[in-house]
């Protein structure tokens, strides 16, 4: 059977993909690579191979993917451009040197419907990585998975709105009008991504007759409908049981707000760059809805309000 690698195999999306892969394939088929291998102890006990590697530590990456046939490469967690792109390229080159046959890459659902440009700074590194994958020499192939904006990531688009300590007012450089965001539950994205990986693995192993339809292509996974930011905030208010409003501000005002280091990476304040996300939302880049998530899951994706209600009840 083809060996499936996941890197980094920790973090929100990584854990989700790994958990669903463990339900779909024998653990011995998995090679899980993370900065903290101890976080994968349970998977290792079940029979998965666990290794250390870190995007910021190039030496271990040189052999981290040895023996991997199919790699799920989860993007570097940062808003930076140059450092992030370089980290991706180092990992991709290492995978190719190790003989990885196919790379799945977790991109992001900005840029509209399979667009090649975006006004969102956060999408820049993804687009550059997508282009890098597209020029890989044979026999390495790829699938780009543009993961929908996580339902759980609403705080970063709503001035750090906290379900546990809600405020009455959200100050962002956007008036809340549509188009909006087709939010998607992170664990459902993880499940769908895992199923895509296994589908490819089964084809390569000759276990199914149909061809894998996403070789050297992009898959866009979105929620079932788009919500304007005003609708998003209205749902947040409903969940916490109090009215919440948007107060539009300028980008200059937004940059001056206290972000408690949440938009600072490697010592660089990227709050102005992050504000371009609202420009992209305003242009409809994140409002595209596709049926692909539903088709892969085999069921209707979870409603946005249901996801937020669940987070609230869990005290997240």
């Amino acid at each position: 059977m083809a060996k499936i690698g996941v890197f980094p195999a920790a973090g929100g999306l990584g854990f989700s993909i790994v958990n669903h892969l463990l339900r779909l394939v024998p653990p011995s088929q998995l090679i899980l690579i993370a900065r903290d291998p101890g976080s994968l102890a349970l998977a290792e006990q079940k029979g998965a191979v666990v290794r250390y590697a870190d995007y910021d530590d190039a030496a271990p990456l040189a052999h981290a993917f040895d023996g991997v046939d199919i790699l799920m490469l989860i993007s570097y967690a940062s808003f930076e451009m140059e450092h992030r792109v370089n980290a991706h390229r180092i990992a991709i080159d290492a995978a190719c040197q190790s003989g990885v046959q196919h790379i799945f890459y977790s991109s992001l659902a900005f840029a509209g419907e399979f667009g090649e440009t975006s006004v969102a700074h956060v999408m820049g590194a993804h687009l550059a990585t997508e282009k890098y994958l597209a020029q890989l020499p044979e026999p390495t192939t790829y699938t780009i998975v543009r993961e929908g904006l996580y339902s759980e990531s609403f705080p970063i688009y709503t001035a750090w709105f906290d379900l546990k300590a809600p405020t009455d007012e959200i100050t962002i450089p956007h008036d809340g009008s549509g188009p909006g965001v087709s939010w998607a539950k992170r664990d459902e994205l993880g499940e769908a991504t895992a199923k895509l990986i296994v589908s490819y693995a089964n084809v390569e192993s000759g276990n199914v007759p149909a061809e894998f339809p996403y070789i050297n292509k992009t898959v866009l996974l979105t929620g079932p409908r788009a919500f304007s930011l005003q609708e998003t905030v209205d749902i947040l208010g409903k969940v916490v049981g109090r009215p919440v409003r948007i107060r539009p501000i300028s980008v200059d005002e937004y940059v001056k707000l206290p972000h408690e280091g949440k938009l600072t990476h490697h010592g660089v304040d990227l709050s102005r760059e992050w504000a371009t996300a609202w420009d992209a939302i305003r242009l409809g880049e994140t409002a595209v809805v596709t049926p692909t998530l539903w088709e892969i899951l085999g069921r209707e994706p979870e409603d946005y309000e249901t996801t937020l209600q669940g987070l609230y009840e869990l005290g997240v």
Side-chain angles (χ1 to χ4, degrees), residues 7-8 54-58 61 65 71-96 103-108 122-133 135-136:
F7 172 72
D54 187 337
Y55 268 125
D56 292 317
D57 188 359
L61 273 173
F65 309 118
L71 175 63
M72 177 68 233
L73 184 67
I74 298 170
S75 57
Y76 183 90
S78 171
F79 303 137
E80 289 178 298
M81 180 81 75
E82 185 176 350
H83 183 84
R84 195 180 194 193
V85 172
N86 188 55
H88 292 163
R89 289 177 176 173
I90 291 171
I92 291 167
D93 290 346
C96 292
I103 299 173
F104 286 84
Y105 171 71
S106 69
S107 186
L108 190 59
V122 69
M123 189 63 183
H126 290 297
L127 293 172
T129 303
E130 289 180 9
K131 290 178 181 177
Y132 193 71
L133 286 166
Q135 57 81 50
L136 289 179

Side-chain angles (χ1 to χ4, degrees), residues 241-254:
R242 62 191 294 176
V244 181
R245 64 183 178 275
I246 293 175
R247 181 169 69 85
I249 59 174
S250 69
V251 172
D252 287 339
E253 289 175 298
Y254 176 77

Side-chain angles (χ1 to χ4, degrees), residues 223-240:
R225 60 156 291 195
F227 294 84
S228 70
L229 289 182
Q230 184 60 61
E231 290 175 311
T232 298
V233 169
D234 289 343
I235 292 172
L236 288 172
K238 183 177 179 181
V239 168
V240 300

